[in-house]
Amino acid sequence: MTGSFIGRLISSLRTISLAVPLLAAFVFPNARNRKISRCVYQMVGRSPANLGLYQLAFKHVSVAKRNRYGLKESNERLEYLGDAVLSTVVAEYLFKKFPFRDEGFLTEIRARIVNRESLNEVARKVGVDQLVEYDSSHRGGYRAHKSINGNTLEALVGAVYLDHGFTFCHRFVLNRILIPHFDLSTIVNNNTNYKSMIIEWAQKNNHQVRFEIVDTRGTSHQREFIAQLFLDEKPICQGSGYSKKKAEQRASEKAIQELEPEFE
């Protein structure tokens, strides 16, 4: 009887001794994982259920390695997903916020909110830039990738969506990104003349800039114009709008973002 008890006790102790390292590895992950878990909780309002999603969300393509299928494991796929989710939540919010405004107005305001410059700024405010894994020697360094923070924020949205579902992600986007960081009144009343800004910059720096309407979409009653901006006859970016003027303004705004930090 005593021998049987001792045998079971020894067996239990062996089991515990094997389990303790596994438990410690789970409770006390490496420093990088602890930082991600802590920061995600602060940014999102809920601890990660699948930490791997967030590890991937903060991994820039410059440090990504190819998996056995030849795919680079970076945040680009999560960025794609997050961009769609973010755009959907913002579109719904504006649809309800402005029940008597037309499609053109809603599209314009959404574009002002989810443009790269705005997302970069929000990403820095919430601390995304402190988590991005990035090879600083890669193709001109961190400054060369002007959209890295905004792209990573979109990847974070994608990770939250996959980790906690659309309902929670919807609340996250509204309560932690859109409402705290965007003043709709200011955005709606912002009439900055980006076209004049880009033309003035080009003249000052001996560049030639021109615009061309390269495509139209929709019906005659609701026609969307696509404007291409050329700098020294090189196509830089496109913009869309429900008038030629708005399309050129949108192309100019994108060009200013693309040319930063050269644009002064």
Side-chain angles (χ1 to χ4, degrees), residues 73-167:
E73 295 184 329
S74 73
N75 63 5
E76 290 184 336
R77 281 167 52 83
L78 283 173
E79 177 194 335
Y80 155 80
L81 179 61
D83 174 59
V85 174
L86 181 64
S87 185
T88 298
V89 174
V90 172
E92 180 194 25
Y93 179 77
L94 295 176
F95 183 85
K96 294 177 178 178
K97 185 76 174 177
F98 301 103
F100 304 110
R101 303 304 296 264
D102 63 19
E103 177 192 2
F105 170 85
L106 298 176
T107 300
E108 174 68 22
I109 301 306
R110 182 182 62 181
R112 293 181 186 182
I113 291 172
V114 301
N115 71 56
R116 195 57 52 205
E117 184 179 0
S118 296
L119 295 183
N120 280 338
E121 183 178 352
V122 173
R124 287 190 293 269
K125 285 181 178 178
V126 302
V128 164
D129 59 322
Q130 301 301 311
L131 293 171
V132 182
E133 279 190 275
Y134 180 81
D135 181 359
S136 59
S137 65
H138 181 74
R139 298 175 64 182
Y142 184 91
R143 191 170 174 84
H145 292 272
K146 299 176 290 295
S147 301
I148 186 172
N149 292 320
N151 292 345
T152 304
L153 179 63
E154 289 179 333
L156 174 62
V157 172
V160 172
Y161 169 75
L162 292 177
D163 197 26
H164 298 302
F166 180 75
T167 300

Side-chain angles (χ1 to χ4, degrees), residues 175-232:
N175 298 329
R176 300 212 174 220
I177 296 178
L178 181 57
I179 294 174
H181 297 290
F182 292 94
D183 183 341
L184 278 184
S185 177
T186 300
I187 293 171
V188 168
N189 293 306
N190 178 19
N191 295 312
T192 303
N193 192 333
Y194 295 105
K195 183 176 179 180
S196 293
M197 289 172 64
I198 195 73
I199 291 174
E200 181 180 347
W201 173 85
Q203 292 173 344
K204 187 184 297 183
N205 292 276
N206 298 315
H207 293 296
Q208 296 294 321
V209 63
R210 71 178 180 88
F211 299 85
E212 182 179 329
I213 301 299
V214 294
D215 196 10
T216 57
R217 302 169 185 163
T219 66
S220 58
H221 299 290
Q222 191 72 0
R223 179 165 294 171
E224 184 179 20
F225 296 89
I226 312 300
Q228 176 77 60
L229 185 150
F230 295 86
L231 186 64
D232 298 327

